Amino acid sequence: FDFEGCFALTCSGCHAAFCGWCLADCGTDAHAHVRECSSKPPGADMYFGTFEEFTQTHRRRQGRELSAFLATLEAHERKAALEAVASDLDDLGIRLQLPV
């Protein structure tokens, strides 16, 4: 999806409120969480952000989560997994910092 605006989002299907920065489930209203969200980039508006800020934030999140998962694998498994998804990571602009 793409948007520019308030990061206190609501699912159009189930109407759950969630944070556009960290994707936390916020019950019925995400505004209080978004205002204080630790995933919000420095200098970002209290509630609003751009699609570019959204994309950058989630690239970093995806990289952290993938790195954490890869760290659980044996070296040969990690190497094979990275080779299998290298072009996808490049297309998505996700850069990983992994131990050698």
Side-chain angles (χ1 to χ4, degrees), residues 67 71 78 97-100:
S67 293
R78 184 170 44 252
Q97 293 186 356
L98 298 171
V100 178

Side-chain angles (χ1 to χ4, degrees), residues 62-100:
Q62 291 162 340
R64 283 191 309 272
E65 290 180 9
L66 183 55
S67 293
F69 168 73
L70 291 169
T72 69
L73 303 177
E74 298 291 329
H76 70 280
E77 295 171 318
R78 184 170 44 252
K79 182 178 185 284
L82 284 169
E83 288 172 358
V85 300
S87 66
D88 295 315
L89 294 175
D90 191 48
D91 290 345
L92 293 168
I94 297 173
R95 307 288 177 252
L96 301 178
Q97 293 186 356
L98 298 171
V100 178

Side-chain angles (χ1 to χ4, degrees), residues 14-94:
C14 70
H15 305 289
F18 64 99
C19 176
W21 296 115
C22 70
L23 307 180
D25 180 348
C26 299
T28 59
D29 186 357
H31 287 89
H33 174 88
V34 168
R35 184 173 51 247
E36 304 296 328
C37 183
S38 62
S39 294
K40 186 175 9 178
D45 184 83
M46 188 178 300
Y47 297 108
F48 291 84
T50 66
F51 184 66
E52 181 60 29
E53 288 173 318
F54 175 87
T55 301
Q56 290 174 358
T57 298
H58 289 285
R59 277 188 192 131
R60 286 190 299 273
R61 179 188 56 79
Q62 291 162 340
R64 283 191 309 272
E65 290 180 9
L66 183 55
S67 293
F69 168 73
L70 291 169
T72 69
L73 303 177
E74 298 291 329
H76 70 280
E77 295 171 318
R78 184 170 44 252
K79 182 178 185 284
L82 284 169
E83 288 172 358
V85 300
S87 66
D88 295 315
L89 294 175
D90 191 48
D91 290 345
L92 293 168
I94 297 173

